[in-house]
Amino acid sequence: MLCVQLIIKETGGSFAKNRMNIRGGQKGVKPQRQIILILDFGSQYTQLIARRIRERNVYCEIHPYYLSLADIEALQPEGIVLSGGPASVYAPSAPLPDKRIFELGLPILGICYGMQVLAYLSVSGQVHPATTREYGLAEIDLSSQSIQTSNALFAGLPNSFDVWMSHGDRIDQLPDGFQSIAKTDNSPVAAMMNLEKNFYGLQFHPEVVHTKDQDLILANYVHQICGCEGDWTMHSFIEETVEKIQNQTDGGRVLCAVSGGVDSTVLTALVQRAIGQQLVCVFVNNGLLRQNESDQVLEMFQSLKVDVHYVDATDRFLNRLAGVENPEQKRKIIGDEFIRVFQDQLNQLGQIDFLAQGTLYPDVIESVSVKGPSATIKTHHNVGGLPENLPFQLVEPLQELFKDEVRAVGTALGLPDSVLGRHPFPGPGLAVRVLGEITPGRLEVLRQADQIFIEEIRQAGIYDQIWQALTVLLPVKTVGVMGDERTYENAVALRAVTSLDGMTADWAKIPHDLLGQISNRIINQVRGINRVVYDISSKPPGTIEWE
């Protein structure tokens, strides 16, 4: 469960002023860390580019392709990556960046659509629909390129290897100053380079696991071509972030809603390290928690020596959710009620100047298209906007981190594995796992079934191999036979996925005999359930949660 459940659509205005940019860069002031800028053109792989670069201990940020030149200069990047995207550069409404980025003297790497942007915005380059489109694996050939030895981008790679293609256009005429440095059977220009300007283009995707380059291409780009030292580690992140939290809060008190999940616990430890007693932690029981979760959370924070104010708001939340079935409406009601609870608590807690949130990068990406021209998947509880009259500013020090990076921060802060290994839990809690109407009775049925599922995978020793495991109460009843009598009761779905960061996920291959044991226990021990199914959908096309 993330830190605070906030889900009203962002409209700008005073909300934008409340958000605190933890990076805090200013034009003309050299950032404390080197940065690679990724301009997003809507590719499904953009976040993977960021992950691969960060794995080289180099910090990077994703921004929309239309980021202004002034903002780019203010970031002072070491290099710019142009992502892929679904558009064609020659289409009337094609997304195109400010051409003046090519005059900044920075190394630029264009990937797929980004490579075509490089060619299209050059006077002499020509991009046209390919006679044969390339989707999937292709073998790249470097052996015929006479300048291979001076090509730092492909340093350390063999003359041929498999790459992942996903394009319907191709470059028919190279821009002036560019040379082809790789080809495939269908693409005479599978990669290109302008050595004088330090511009590079790849028609394939080096960021995906299907490209067999041992992650050397992006490593060569950030280290050899851009000159990044690779000194962005979680320890350096903690030091930098602690200092910024101290400077930005400047003695003010910070409210942090804790849930016991990885994100809010790491956030709490990080902010507490920065400001100590200025941090005020509140745990709100919204009646949508798992079995015995409130007691477990309070015990955990007590073991971490964190003082927590406990608020039981079960009746408030369930009364407002009565009769509501639409998942987006559920999220909005829950987010709004959390704010109301916090505002009521201000009368008891005294002056609060800031609100700390455990917002993560995937939350931002999936909720609003602020990072590029990507479609909104669903509103997230931590992002998407706040009331205009919010009485405090936001502190979101984790908002540019992926989940595994948050866990790495927690490890560096000394948090125990028992805390960092917990599966994610959604901000709206069981409200988005009880499909349809939420009632105390339906919540109790789900809690019991979910507890059995988690107990069994823990006892089988596979809990830590699974990214997230959950049970969903379906809004249908099915016919069954129990004790020679006909039953007409609820069905539940079990879902377990493996993932690195939650952006993509595959269904977990739980052994069939274990699934059978889980199903048997649930049907026999939970009154009101007579059918159990297992979800074998990946993400995409599905999301991890059902709502």
Side-chain angles (χ1 to χ4, degrees):
M1 181 177 180
L2 298 181
C3 181
V4 183
Q5 295 69 13
L6 304 171
I7 42 62
I8 306 168
K9 184 172 179 59
E10 178 177 356
T11 57
S14 62
F15 167 73
K17 297 177 183 177
N18 280 339
R19 287 188 98 94
M20 298 177 63
N21 185 347
I22 201 67
R23 179 173 166 76
Q26 295 179 348
K27 189 173 183 179
V29 178
K30 187 67 175 176
Q32 294 183 19
R33 58 190 176 201
Q34 294 175 309
I35 175 175
I36 296 295
L37 170 64
I38 302 173
L39 294 183
D40 180 21
F41 293 90
S43 170
Q44 61 179 318
Y45 301 133
T46 300
Q47 293 79 38
L48 284 177
I49 302 173
R51 286 195 48 78
R52 296 292 178 259
I53 292 175
R54 291 182 182 201
E55 287 169 0
R56 311 305 304 187
N57 292 332
V58 175
Y59 182 71
C60 65
E61 289 184 3
I62 301 172
H63 288 271
Y65 69 90
Y66 49 78
L67 188 68
S68 72
L69 187 69
D71 287 337
I72 292 174
E73 290 177 325
L75 287 170
Q76 300 181 61
E78 308 298 327
I80 298 175
V81 176
L82 308 178
S83 84
S88 294
V89 291
Y90 47 77
S93 58
L96 297 171
D98 189 323
K99 289 180 63 173
R100 293 175 293 175
I101 65 172
F102 303 121
E103 302 170 5
L104 295 175
L106 295 172
I108 294 179
L109 173 64
I111 297 175
C112 198
Y113 178 84
M115 171 176 167
Q116 295 162 15
V117 168
L118 267 176
Y120 183 76
L121 293 182
S122 302
V123 176
S124 56
Q126 292 186 12
V127 181
H128 298 107
T131 54
T132 302
R133 296 182 297 176
E134 282 188 298
Y135 294 99
L137 285 176
E139 186 177 42
I140 196 171
D141 179 16
L142 313 178
S143 60
S144 63
Q145 311 307 316
S146 60
I147 59 172
Q148 181 187 356
T149 55
S150 62
N151 174 16
L153 192 65
F154 290 150
L157 287 166
N159 287 336
S160 64
F161 55 94
D162 288 339
V163 298
W164 186 259
M165 291 284 191
S166 180
H167 68 101
D169 297 332
R170 76 178 193 181
I171 296 172
D172 287 332
Q173 180 173 311
L174 283 165
D176 290 341
F178 280 83
Q179 300 181 62
S180 174
I181 55 175
K183 67 178 182 178
T184 66
D185 290 341
N186 292 320
S187 295
V189 185
M192 65 181 189
M193 173 179 71
N194 184 322
L195 199 57
E196 179 182 354
K197 293 186 176 181
N198 231 4
F199 293 169
Y200 299 82
L202 301 172
Q203 188 59 74
F204 58 91
H205 290 272
E207 68 272 23
V208 302
V209 295
H210 309 80
T211 293
K212 305 302 181 183
D213 70 335
Q214 298 84 49
D215 295 328
L216 279 176
I217 294 176
L218 288 175
N220 288 338
Y221 172 70
V222 298
H223 294 308
Q224 297 193 39
I225 295 173
C226 296
C228 294
E229 298 175 1
D231 56 1
W232 186 67
T233 65
M234 293 303 100
H235 286 285
S236 67
F237 169 82
I238 291 170
E239 293 176 2
E240 178 183 340
T241 304
V242 163
E243 181 180 354
K244 287 180 177 178
I245 293 173
Q246 292 170 340
N247 292 337
Q248 291 166 342
T249 57
D250 193 25
R253 298 178 77 211
V254 179
L255 175 66
C256 181
V258 299
S259 67
V262 174
D263 307 328
S264 74
T265 305
V266 172
L267 174 72
T268 300
L270 185 59
V271 177
Q272 186 179 55
R273 174 171 292 197
I275 61 174
Q277 295 303 311
Q278 293 168 232
L279 176 64
V280 180
C281 294
V282 176
F283 174 50
V284 177
N285 183 350
N286 59 4
L288 303 168
L289 303 177
R290 291 166 291 195
Q291 196 88 323
N292 304 319
E293 187 156 22
S294 59
D295 291 338
Q296 294 169 3
V297 169
L298 292 174
E299 290 173 3
M300 182 194 70
F301 279 108
Q302 185 177 14
S303 69
L304 297 176
K305 297 181 172 54
V306 175
D307 292 329
V308 176
H309 297 270
Y310 174 72
V311 180
D312 187 350
T314 298
D315 292 340
R316 292 181 58 163
F317 281 88
L318 296 188
N319 288 339
R320 287 199 62 185
L321 289 167
V324 177
E325 297 186 6
N326 182 277
E328 281 294 286
Q329 191 177 357
K330 290 179 185 178
R331 291 175 181 270
K332 291 180 179 180
I333 289 172
I334 292 167
D336 180 66
E337 193 60 31
F338 263 105
I339 292 298
R340 293 173 185 266
V341 171
F342 294 143
Q343 289 175 332
D344 290 345
Q345 290 300 305
L346 293 181
N347 297 326
Q348 303 178 35
L349 299 175
Q351 177 64 34
I352 297 292
D353 305 289
F354 302 93
L355 173 65
Q357 285 200 109
T359 306
L360 304 190
Y361 216 2
D363 300 333
V364 176
I365 293 166
E366 285 195 353
S367 296
V368 287
S369 302
V370 296
K371 294 292 181 183
S374 305
T376 298
I377 306 301
K378 61 185 176 183
T379 304
H380 265 273
H381 29 278
N382 269 30
V383 291
L386 292 171
E388 290 286 338
N389 60 349
L390 189 69
F392 25 61
Q393 291 183 321
L394 295 181
V395 179
E396 297 176 294
L398 307 179
Q399 66 176 326
E400 297 297 342
L401 297 184
F402 291 97
K403 188 79 173 189
D404 57 324
E405 292 172 330
V406 173
R407 286 193 168 101
V409 169
T411 299
L413 288 169
L415 295 178
D417 291 340
S418 59
V419 172
L420 300 177
R422 291 191 67 187
H423 289 180
F425 188 60
L430 299 182
V432 293
R433 295 181 180 175
V434 172
L435 273 56
E437 183 179 5
I438 298 170
T439 66
R442 299 191 77 209
L443 285 168
E444 184 56 30
V445 168
L446 178 59
R447 286 191 183 101
Q448 293 180 31
D450 186 70
Q451 184 178 36
I452 290 172
F453 186 23
I454 300 303
E455 284 177 357
E456 288 291 334
I457 61 175
R458 283 191 183 278
Q459 290 174 9
I462 63 173
Y463 180 88
D464 292 334
Q465 301 170 26
I466 295 172
W467 166 269
Q468 189 170 353
L470 58 114
T471 308
V472 180
L473 182 63
L474 304 181
V476 296
K477 290 190 175 183
T478 69
V479 174
V481 178
M482 300 178 72
D484 295 327
E485 293 185 359
R486 178 186 184 275
T487 63
Y488 189 59
E489 294 180 334
N490 296 289
V492 294
L494 306 179
R495 178 129 168 92
V497 298
T498 57
S499 179
L500 288 176
D501 52 33
M503 292 302 300
T504 60
D506 192 14
W507 59 279
K509 311 305 188 289
I510 295 179
H512 291 178
D513 57 347
L514 178 56
L515 286 174
Q517 182 175 322
I518 295 168
S519 174
N520 186 61
R521 276 197 64 190
I522 290 175
I523 291 173
N524 283 315
Q525 296 179 22
V526 182
R527 188 175 297 275
I529 295 176
N530 69 354
R531 190 176 300 272
V532 177
V533 299
Y534 188 54
D535 183 350
I536 59 171
S537 308
S538 61
K539 176 187 179 181
T543 55
I544 295 177
E545 299 288 344
W546 278 42
E547 288 191 345

